[in-house]
Amino acid sequence: MKEYLLIILFCAFLFPSVSCGQQKYTLSGTISENQSNETLIGVTVAFPELQTGVTTNEYGFYSITLPEGTYKLRISYLGFTDITQEIVLSENKKIDFFMNEEAEQLDEVIVSENVEKMDIRKPQMSVNTLSIGTIKKIPVILGEADVIKSILLLPGVTNAGEGASGFNVRGGAADQNLILLDEAIIFNSSHLFGFFSVFNPDAIKDVKLYKGGIPARYGGRVSSVLDIFQKEGNSKEFKMNGGIGAVASRLLLEGPIKKDKSAFLIGGRASYAHLFLPLFDIDNTAYFYDLNTKLNYRLNEKNNIFLSGYFGRDVFGINDSFVNTYGNAVGNFRWNHLFSDKLFSNLSLIYSDYYYGLKLDFVGFNWNSGIRNFNVKYDLKHYLSDKLQVNYGINNVYYQFNPGKIEPSNSESGIVEEQLIQKYANEFAAYIDVEQRITDNLSVGYGLRYSHFIRLGQDELNVYANNNPVEFDPLLLIYKEAEPIDVINPGRGTTLSTFGNFEPRASLSYTMTATSSVKASYTRLAQYLHLLSNTSSPTPLDVWTPSGPFIEPQLLDQYALGYFKNLADGDYSVESEVFYKDVQNRIDYIDGANLIANNAIEQVILNGEARAYGLELLLRKNEGKLQGWLAYTLSKSEQRTPGRAAVTDNGRSNLESGINFGNWYNTPYDKTHDISVFVSYDLNKKWSFSSNFTYQTGQPTNYPIGQFEFEGLTIPYYGQRNSERLPDYNRLDLSATLTPRKNSDRKIKGEWVFSLYNVYNRRNAASINFRRNDDTGANEAVRTSIFGIVPAVTYNFKL
């Protein structure tokens, strides 16, 4: 009896708001949209009187365990009518809820997009969620709604400028972002070299960006995770929607295969601006197309299967003598299984392929390269109680890297077929992630990921003296490629290198008041893949290479501290964070490095380090006719590659100069100030307006600091790396959406979107190049700008 009383007292001390001796029961189920059966991610399932609740996972499942009793349940989600219901918990119950879209409201009542509101009690921080509704409101170039362009308006997120591909998060490089589409890895997120993203907004259900405090289920990149889920398809009735734009159009079809049990989704996009080029006597081509597909089937209450895919291609050609083709292809089979009302599992079998090809008829050869991977994931989520949830799982990815293959395009070209050495690797990871509410005011998240990377054998491998592929010339103070002393043939069955890393994660949230909290997090991440690129913006020609001999994995330690507050009953919110990032083994390139078709890339790279730190502020207006946010980031991003301790032939030790004399220098994506403003205003049922303004400190670059004469030529010379900057960048965009009043009487409903990109026609510098003027013979600076003012009109429709 004494032992029982001690247990009760101990339990009551840990969880004072719960009666530990009372019988507990579990309420679980799935929450879906009533009109389509589309499961909803991140729905809040709350019990206000207990001040507790959960949110649905990526497949709409929820589970919560509470003491026996009668409670008031409230379910809420963006743009949907709240569900309020009395629940009697006297046994375990499984209840599926179906939410209805908010009905047409009076002008003064505006639906709240609360999916984007922060939860001040959750320990998760440094994460931003954007609804598809918001993404479609943001004005972008040529009027096409764009996921990547939209996240650039968030604090801590930038890119290399107009027409640049990829994005940079908290001073990190573009290759340090893990981009997932239905859990499949996307290696290139851009169409038309950065003008559009590969994600069709009509097919997307959820977009979430993790900048820090990254859960342990994610790994493989050291900067951020962009997690995107496609819609599942309407299992109740056939639906169609799409749009016709200035340069591209799209169409999405979805409907039931077997009503209320299975559904399909298929969506496509294609650009057609190149069709008009012959009118101007231009033979060049530049276009893209992509296809999104998904099938789902509900086997029974405990089992669901999904089959999803994406295929996209870009084609750029000049007079048929030069044709560049590149794109992604991914496929994913997933099986959801419910072991019990507290244990949810998901098994995923994933294939991902990125291809890059060149057809060069004028020199008589074709080139193709790419990266392919096969991924097996098994994730489980255990809802132990309303205060304790545990995620755990394993993940194994097999990689095949094709750095390039040259083939003759015809029998007369004289080109000899050559395959650059292919590389192979395997990455395994196991993780556990815990989210726990310690007291009413304190919630913590903690986890551990263990990653194990094997660089598998290959056909040929260079051997270098002193195991050093890069030599340093102490007289000229330059690095140069070392000559191999031997070439070995390890074979596919061998192991070249093995790496293992423990990656702990921890975060906490302390609620100061009902509307404010302080959060802190620590994240350690390992990245085993490296993008070989010496440009500020990734290009399709860039090649990925695995860690192995001579290339160490990147290791990140990130610390973040933030203050969060809801104002005016959640109508406004303030998020502020400071962060510090330290990255080990960040590679850099020796001067004059050749990265294209290089079979010995280790000869031109050195291992260094990087760091970034800054302050982020985000002020949101969440409700009302006028909504939007103001984001400001003050940050610094630097890199350093110090000299190595070199041993000479006579045994003396010389310290090399390193890159940039071993000093810290700005990374190409360092932006001291970054300001973004987004505003949307619903005037009435017919008209709505949106605007965004962007200001950024100019991108680091190199300018000549002097010149000298050599044999009649004037030759400029440069100072330290990235010590100069392009002019500051700023731009204003506007859009207006017209929804005809006759829509309510039509089967096919439409809307017109009118947009102006770069309203005041600012010629922002994409680059500044220096050349010799043919007339005067003097050196001159030439600014290159991509866009001035760009008007666009898009017609959207749905059935």
Side-chain angles (χ1 to χ4, degrees), residues 36 229 266 316 331 377 524 686 755 761 763 790:
S36 65
F229 278 87
I266 180 168
F316 174 73
K377 292 175 75 265
R524 185 172 179 86
K686 186 176 180 180
S755 64
N761 197 33
R763 309 299 295 187
V790 181

Side-chain angles (χ1 to χ4, degrees), residues 723-742:
S723 57
E724 306 292 338
R725 289 185 182 271
L726 295 176
D728 290 352
Y729 180 98
N730 63 84
R731 191 189 77 242
L732 174 67
D733 308 324
L734 298 173
S735 73
T737 301
L738 169 63
T739 304
R741 297 188 185 276
K742 296 179 181 180

Side-chain angles (χ1 to χ4, degrees), residues 58 71 187 225 240 281 427 432 698 787:
E58 291 82 358
Y71 304 103
F187 287 96
V225 177
M240 176 180 72
D281 199 24
E427 182 177 353
I432 182 169
F787 289 117

Side-chain angles (χ1 to χ4, degrees), residues 41 48 61 76 159 183 214 262 373 511 515 522 568 613 646 664 792:
I41 302 173
F61 179 77
S76 58
N159 74 351
E183 302 180 295
I214 297 173
S262 62
N373 72 76
T511 305
T515 60
Y522 165 75
Y613 46 91
W664 289 99

Side-chain angles (χ1 to χ4, degrees), residues 606-640:
L606 295 171
N607 284 326
E609 59 182 329
R611 67 185 182 189
Y613 46 91
L615 164 70
E616 295 176 357
L617 297 173
L618 179 63
L619 171 63
R620 280 185 182 271
K621 187 176 188 303
N622 300 304
E623 299 188 19
K625 284 188 173 185
L626 181 69
Q627 296 185 18
W629 65 78
L630 165 66
Y632 172 68
T633 306
L634 173 67
S635 63
K636 187 69 178 174
S637 175
E638 299 175 298
Q639 189 165 339
R640 181 175 67 169

Side-chain angles (χ1 to χ4, degrees), residues 138-151:
I138 295 175
V140 292
I141 184 69
L142 298 172
E144 294 296 315
D146 194 294
V147 171
I148 300 298
K149 297 293 189 294
S150 298
I151 65 174

Side-chain angles (χ1 to χ4, degrees), residues 340-533:
S340 70
D341 53 9
K342 292 185 179 182
L343 182 57
F344 179 93
S345 71
N346 178 69
L347 172 67
S348 297
L349 307 176
I350 307 167
Y351 168 82
S352 177
D353 176 76
Y354 173 67
Y355 168 81
Y356 179 86
L358 280 175
K359 177 183 176 183
L360 302 170
D361 274 353
F362 62 94
V363 289
F365 76 85
N366 298 329
W367 164 279
N368 66 79
S369 63
I371 176 173
R372 181 179 301 165
N373 72 76
F374 303 89
N375 187 357
V376 179
K377 292 175 75 265
Y378 193 47
D379 303 289
L380 299 101
K381 184 161 189 175
H382 212 150
Y383 299 82
L384 296 176
S385 73
D386 63 317
K387 291 180 171 59
L388 183 63
Q389 300 174 25
V390 181
N391 295 277
Y392 46 93
I394 57 174
N395 182 20
N396 192 83
V397 188
Y398 173 78
Y399 296 99
Q400 179 182 357
F401 303 85
N402 175 19
K405 182 178 182 179
I406 299 175
E407 297 175 316
S409 60
N410 56 68
S411 59
E412 301 176 355
S413 68
I415 299 295
V416 178
E417 181 175 318
E418 181 182 359
Q419 170 68 64
L420 299 183
I421 299 171
Q422 298 198 57
K423 302 177 178 68
Y424 307 89
N426 192 84
E427 182 177 353
F428 170 82
Y431 74 91
I432 182 169
D433 227 343
V434 180
E435 186 173 326
Q436 184 175 8
R437 186 176 175 187
I438 304 296
T439 69
D440 288 343
N441 294 333
L442 179 63
S443 296
V444 297
Y446 48 94
L448 179 66
R449 182 184 182 91
Y450 176 73
S451 57
H452 185 262
F453 189 84
I454 301 175
R455 173 71 177 274
L456 301 172
Q458 58 193 48
D459 293 337
E460 295 180 4
L461 183 68
N462 291 337
V463 179
Y464 301 92
N466 300 320
N467 204 32
N468 187 359
V470 181
E471 293 181 346
F472 179 71
D473 188 327
L475 297 178
L476 299 178
L477 297 179
I478 61 172
Y479 288 93
K480 59 184 181 180
E481 303 172 9
E483 289 293 329
I485 60 174
D486 194 9
V487 178
I488 61 175
N489 305 97
R492 292 280 304 279
T494 60
T495 298
L496 300 181
S497 301
T498 301
F499 306 96
N501 286 284
F502 287 98
E503 305 173 33
R505 322 284 170 89
S507 59
L508 65 86
S509 171
Y510 182 77
T511 305
M512 304 170 65
T513 67
T515 60
S516 64
S517 65
V518 174
K519 299 185 181 185
S521 69
Y522 165 75
T523 306
R524 185 172 179 86
L525 289 158
Q527 178 171 336
Y528 301 98
L529 306 188
H530 310 263
L531 183 65
L532 301 176
S533 175

